[in-house]
Amino acid sequence: MKQEEIKKLMERIRADLMTDQDVRLLRMTLSENPTQEELDDFLANWDLEAEGSSKSLLLSYFMKEHPDLVLPGYFGPRIKGLLDYFRFRNIKLIAQYKKIALKLAENGIVVTIFKGGAMKHLRPQLSRRMSDIDVLVSEDDYKRAGKVIEEMGYDVSWDEHSFDVHPKGTEEGILDVHKYIPMLTGRETEVMGDIMGRAREADLFGVRGRILAEEDLVFSLLVNLSRNIMNNTRS
């Protein structure tokens, strides 16, 4: 693919997935030396409720990196309230993860954490939006892990490469248990041995488990990003 074609493709993806306000937010949060004037100018056209929690969390991370800047008016209390909500939500989610992971460990099943849960472990000081915690188990343990979790009283929804875990009778996410990282290549199982072999042991939210090596964690995040772009970009 020629450079000009790649540029056009990237522009189409950006137009499909990002608004002009999104671009302004990213440019400001990635700026090395943002000013109060730039922040005030951005917030003059920012609707916190309309933009949603994920983008507002990005703004909160930006403020943590630049404590000299001040959120004007009602933005400060609203952003703090959002952070407090996700802190509480994550505490509840992690407590459920710990309960399940301990039971799996009792049955000789070790989980390897990746994606958002791994990022939370690596940067616990930052609240983040987590709808569930993604873990990997070996293919040999995959069905047995689901059975153990069902016997604990949780609902389990099975898919080809993963199953979701919910509190009984709800759709609230807790765990997404994978036997491999879906890459849409048809060769996922061929590389999982190497990926799992590089994972390291760690104390994960109070339970001994494993976490992907840094390079594999970044790779899994890029794979997930690519899949999301494919699923949300018009053909």
Side-chain angles (χ1 to χ4, degrees), residues 84-97 120 130:
D84 289 343
Y85 168 78
F86 280 110
R87 285 194 186 102
F88 176 78
R89 171 74 175 89
N90 291 345
I91 288 171
K92 181 181 177 183
L93 180 63
I94 289 169
Q96 294 275 14
Y97 162 82
K120 177 64 178 174
M130 294 195 299

Side-chain angles (χ1 to χ4, degrees), residues 3-235:
Q3 186 174 357
E4 189 62 31
E5 293 175 332
I6 294 175
K7 184 177 180 180
K8 288 181 180 179
L9 177 60
M10 293 301 296
E11 283 298 319
R12 182 169 67 84
I13 291 174
R14 190 201 69 79
D16 281 345
L17 299 180
M18 300 177 66
T19 66
D20 291 340
Q21 193 76 333
D22 293 339
V23 175
R24 291 188 66 201
L25 175 61
L26 283 174
R27 285 177 176 168
M28 183 182 70
T29 55
L30 295 175
S31 173
E32 293 185 3
N33 298 296
T35 66
Q36 184 67 48
E37 182 180 2
E38 289 173 333
L39 176 61
D40 292 342
D41 180 63
F42 173 79
L43 291 175
N45 297 302
W46 174 263
D47 186 337
L48 190 150
E49 285 78 12
E51 296 295 344
S53 59
S54 295
K55 296 172 187 178
S56 297
L57 275 175
L58 179 58
L59 181 61
S60 75
Y61 299 160
F62 167 75
M63 296 303 297
K64 278 182 172 288
E65 294 291 328
H66 302 281
D68 53 312
L69 300 180
V70 179
L71 288 170
Y74 81 109
F75 281 100
R78 296 300 296 275
I79 290 293
K80 183 180 184 302
L82 183 68
L83 285 172
D84 289 343
Y85 168 78
F86 280 110
R87 285 194 186 102
F88 176 78
R89 171 74 175 89
N90 291 345
I91 288 171
K92 181 181 177 183
L93 180 63
I94 289 169
Q96 294 275 14
Y97 162 82
K98 183 175 180 179
K99 178 182 177 182
I100 294 171
L102 283 171
K103 191 66 175 180
L104 291 176
E106 289 176 8
N107 286 268
I109 301 172
V110 179
V111 301
T112 300
I113 199 168
F114 73 118
K115 290 175 65 174
M119 298 305 295
K120 177 64 178 174
H121 167 74
L122 294 173
R123 301 194 70 184
Q125 73 276 18
L126 292 181
S127 295
R128 69 183 319 277
R129 182 180 180 182
M130 294 195 299
S131 57
D132 56 23
I133 294 178
D134 290 87
V135 300
L136 290 156
V137 297
S138 69
E139 190 165 2
D140 290 341
D141 289 333
Y142 179 68
K143 290 185 178 180
R144 191 160 63 92
K147 183 178 180 181
V148 169
I149 294 171
E150 284 180 325
E151 290 174 350
M152 293 178 70
Y154 294 95
D155 286 338
V156 173
S157 302
W158 295 89
D159 199 350
E160 179 184 353
H161 64 83
S162 66
F163 60 81
D164 297 328
V165 179
H166 312 277
K168 197 73 173 178
T170 78
E171 292 299 318
E172 180 183 351
I174 298 176
L175 281 185
D176 195 359
V177 181
H178 303 253
K179 60 182 175 181
Y180 58 78
I181 299 173
M183 307 173 199
L184 303 181
T185 64
R187 301 178 59 187
E188 287 85 351
T189 57
E190 296 179 26
V191 300
M192 286 310 299
D194 290 337
I195 289 176
M196 297 294 275
R198 288 189 292 267
R200 60 178 175 84
E201 291 190 4
D203 186 348
L204 303 168
F205 309 122
V207 183
R208 202 67 185 165
R210 293 165 63 81
I211 186 171
L212 289 189
E214 284 79 0
E215 63 270 28
D216 293 324
L217 179 56
V218 172
F219 172 72
S220 70
L221 292 172
L222 290 174
V223 167
N224 191 59
L225 174 63
S226 299
R227 291 175 62 237
N228 287 341
I229 289 175
M230 289 175 62
N231 291 335
N232 289 284
T233 304
R234 295 190 297 269
S235 60

